[in-house]
């Protein structure tokens, strides 16, 4: 089985060859933790969660690094008042690191809700200031960067003069770039408008600042990813991912920094996830065209007619390929909900099927499995994979209606393959089972509280717990083994 990955740098699908056989080093740009992540951000992280799960399922040992951007980085106009962290600190009257903590916690909670696996390493930009200063020094020493008024810039023209190609990822031509740039960031400090900051001098208003050989300042955004990916995955590693919008300038700058520092291309496969749109426009905080994950899940919003379970949102996202734009809508969510229920129902039915070794069925399990793996290894094509899973769903319903048969071994094979694709690879969760588990845990807590009430002779309370549960159709029975319950 050969895995094909669309490499944004090559502009085509390529056969994946890891640097170290059987191992994959993967870096994904994480969130800037100055406010809550919106559903669009979730889509990108979910796309890479699916890719991580797929690589693991295919047998690779993956080291997955996803950073947290917690150091202030300037917006395009270079005005400190527009620094996202500084703005939010003023707005919420909190310390910068309080903002970081608050939104990092929120980010983790949200991803947990959508059943994303944690990365193996989650480094922070502020935890790697020393590495970023070292890289900046190296770039100055080798002539790729220069200091100007307490800031340090990467010299893009020098980079190209040495036969390298700034613009190779975004397929931009440097002359065009120069023609289209206004020199606002840097305000006359830079040799050329396309030069980007490696280190920025902190103005008196800037709260997040560190000492450096160039005075007090803070690192440029592009540099943190080079510092952290190199530290944990090496000077050249297998996969680098992020949203499409990060291709330029962020990833273009990462390539330039890596090549200038180490003389080698930092990444073998660049992967870019496409955007989530709403009302046919990119979801974004700045335009106000966004929805927060909690608003969708709780139903507290004006866009969707009802609430949707996170597993259904996840299923909806995976019904589009990670490189396609996905427009979220009420109809799309309702259709996903229907499909999801049918898939879960089929899994339930599968547990009650009786095998029949005598009759032969028309459904070839081997062919079906091969098609599923072809989809997965064809640049992680989740919609095609899901379409194949629904062929199995159709077959399961036919088994139930006794229009098809399956052998005992086939049944085991179908069960384990389908479960692996649905739960391990797609990362879906069985809502019903989950709810049952939660209910059981809650009832155990109530039983424990009732026991404590009885022990302290608070029979009023213990009777109240029993009677109120009974009114809800839950009967508690006290026996020698302890208290059990039955639900009518
Ligand atoms: P940020 O915190 O702004 O750096 O964004 C975190 C991630 O979300 C980046 O990889 C962005 O490319 C991605 N992202 C931002 N907006 C969207 C969107 N509308 N759809 C999908 N991904 C997005
Ligand atoms: Zn990055």
């Amino acid at each position: 089985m050969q895995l094909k990955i669309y490499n944004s740098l090559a502009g085509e699908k390529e056969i994946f060859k890891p640097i170290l056989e059987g191992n994959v080093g993967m870096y994904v740009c994480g969130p800037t933790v100055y406010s809550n992540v919106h559903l669009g951000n979730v889509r990108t992280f979910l796309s890479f969660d699916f890719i991580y799960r797929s690589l693991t399922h295919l047998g690779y040992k993956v080291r997955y690094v996803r950073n947290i951007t917690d150091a202030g980085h300037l917006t395009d106009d270079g005005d400190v008042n527009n620094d996202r962290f500084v703005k939010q600190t003023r707005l919420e009257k909190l310390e910068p690191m309080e903002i970081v903590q608050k939104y990092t916690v929120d980010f983790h909670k949200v991803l947990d809700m959508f059943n994303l696996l944690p990365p193996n390493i989650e480094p922070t930009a502020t935890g790697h200031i020393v590495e970023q200063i070292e890289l900046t020094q190296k770039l100055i020493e080798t002539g790729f960067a220069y200091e100007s008024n307490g800031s340090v810039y990467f010299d893009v023209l020098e980079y190209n003069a040495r036969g390298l190609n700034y613009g190779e990822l975004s397929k931009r031509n440097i002359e065009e770039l120069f023609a289209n740039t206004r020199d606002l960031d840097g305000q006359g400090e830079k040799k050329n408008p396309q030069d980007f900051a490696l280190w920025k001098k902190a103005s008196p208003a800037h709260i997040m600042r560190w000492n450096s050989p160039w005075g007090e300042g803070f690192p440029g955004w592009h540099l943190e990813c080079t510092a952290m990916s190199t530290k944990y995955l090496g000077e050249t590693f297998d996969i680098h991912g992020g949203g499409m919008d990060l291709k330029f300038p962020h990833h273009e700058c990462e390539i330039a920094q890596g090549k200038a520092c180490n003389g080698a291309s930092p990444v073998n496969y660049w992967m870019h996830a496409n955007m989530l749109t709403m009302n046919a426009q990119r979801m974004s905080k700045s335009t106000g065209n966004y929805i927060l994950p909690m608003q969708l899940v709780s139903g507290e919003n004006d866009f969707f007619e009802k609430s949707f379970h996170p597993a259904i949102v996840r299923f909806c996202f995976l019904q589009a390929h990670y490189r396609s734009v996905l427009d979220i809508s009420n109809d799309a969510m309702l259709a996903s909900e229907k499909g999801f229920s049918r898939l879960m129902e089929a899994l339930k039915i599968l547990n009650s099927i009786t095998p029949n070794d005598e009759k032969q069925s028309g459904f070839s399990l081997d062919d079906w499995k091969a098609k599923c793996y072809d989809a997965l290894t064809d640049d992680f094509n989740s919609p095609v994979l899901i379409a194949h899973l629904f062929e199995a769903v159709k077959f399961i319903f036919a088994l139930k209606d006794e229009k098809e048969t399956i052998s005992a071994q086939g049944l085991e094979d179908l069960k384990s393959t389908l479960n692996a694709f649905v739960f391990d690879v797609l990362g879906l969760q069985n809502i019903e089972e989950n709810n049952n588990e939660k209910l059981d845990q809650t009832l155990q807590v109530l039983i424990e509280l009732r026991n404590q009430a009885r022990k302290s002779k608070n029979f009023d309370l213990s009777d109240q717990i029993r009677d109120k549960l009974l009114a809800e159709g839950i009967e508690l029975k006290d026996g020698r083994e302890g208290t059990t319950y039955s639900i009518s």
Side-chain angles (χ1 to χ4, degrees), residues 135-354:
L135 281 179
T136 306
Q137 279 175 313
K138 192 168 173 188
L139 287 168
I140 293 176
E141 280 161 22
T142 48
F144 282 104
Y146 57 91
E147 190 208 333
S148 174
N149 191 28
S151 294
V152 180
Y153 294 99
F154 188 94
D155 192 336
V156 172
L157 275 187
E158 175 62 25
Y159 180 76
N160 271 25
R162 298 199 199 179
L164 297 158
N165 176 17
Y166 184 77
E168 62 180 302
L169 176 68
S170 54
K171 319 286 177 240
R172 288 172 200 224
N173 173 307
I174 196 149
E175 278 79 33
E176 260 171 54
L177 285 174
F178 280 145
N180 294 331
T181 319
R182 287 179 307 151
D183 184 15
L184 287 171
D185 181 14
Q187 294 161 13
E189 287 174 359
K190 298 198 241 175
K191 286 191 197 166
N192 301 297
Q194 281 304 317
D195 292 352
F196 55 90
L198 299 169
W199 187 263
K200 262 318 241 179
K201 178 183 178 169
S203 68
H206 213 102
I207 335 168
M208 286 179 110
R209 54 208 293 148
W210 291 267
N211 272 325
S212 80
W214 317 284
E216 281 196 0
F218 55 94
W221 170 37
H222 315 308
L223 195 61
E224 68 175 68
C225 287
T226 298
M228 293 184 269
S229 61
T230 312
K231 179 160 180 176
Y232 299 110
L233 298 171
E235 290 175 358
T236 301
F237 55 94
D238 298 300
I239 298 175
H240 191 316
M244 217 56 123
D245 56 329
L246 299 187
K247 235 190 219 182
F248 188 87
H250 187 49
H251 293 160
E252 196 71 64
C253 295
E254 274 189 56
I255 295 182
Q257 289 164 165
K259 282 192 168 175
C261 267
N262 310 313
S265 200
V267 176
N268 286 345
Y269 301 86
W270 280 95
M271 296 184 74
H272 289 99
N274 217 327
M275 296 291 111
L276 184 73
T277 61
M278 196 163 89
N279 302 310
Q281 271 178 11
R282 191 186 138 184
M283 194 170 281
S284 151
K285 272 259 166 92
S286 56
T287 57
N289 184 46
Y290 72 91
I291 184 160
L292 296 179
M294 269 322 287
Q295 292 175 317
L296 175 57
V297 168
S298 68
E300 282 164 26
N301 66 81
D302 301 327
F303 190 76
F304 295 93
E305 67 180 40
K306 62 187 277 296
S307 62
F308 291 97
H309 192 281
I312 290 160
V313 183
R314 187 174 173 113
F315 185 57
C316 177
F317 281 6
L318 292 171
Q319 280 178 300
H321 187 240
Y322 79 90
R323 280 194 293 119
S324 309
V325 171
L326 169 63
D327 193 54
I328 189 110
S329 66
N330 197 56
D331 287 350
M333 287 302 300
L334 288 174
S336 293
E337 190 170 52
K338 230 169 142 184
F340 182 87
S341 305
R342 194 167 154 80
L343 183 59
M344 291 302 147
E345 202 185 331
L347 282 165
K348 208 164 148 188
I349 293 172
L350 203 50
N351 290 327
S352 58
I353 297 289
T354 318

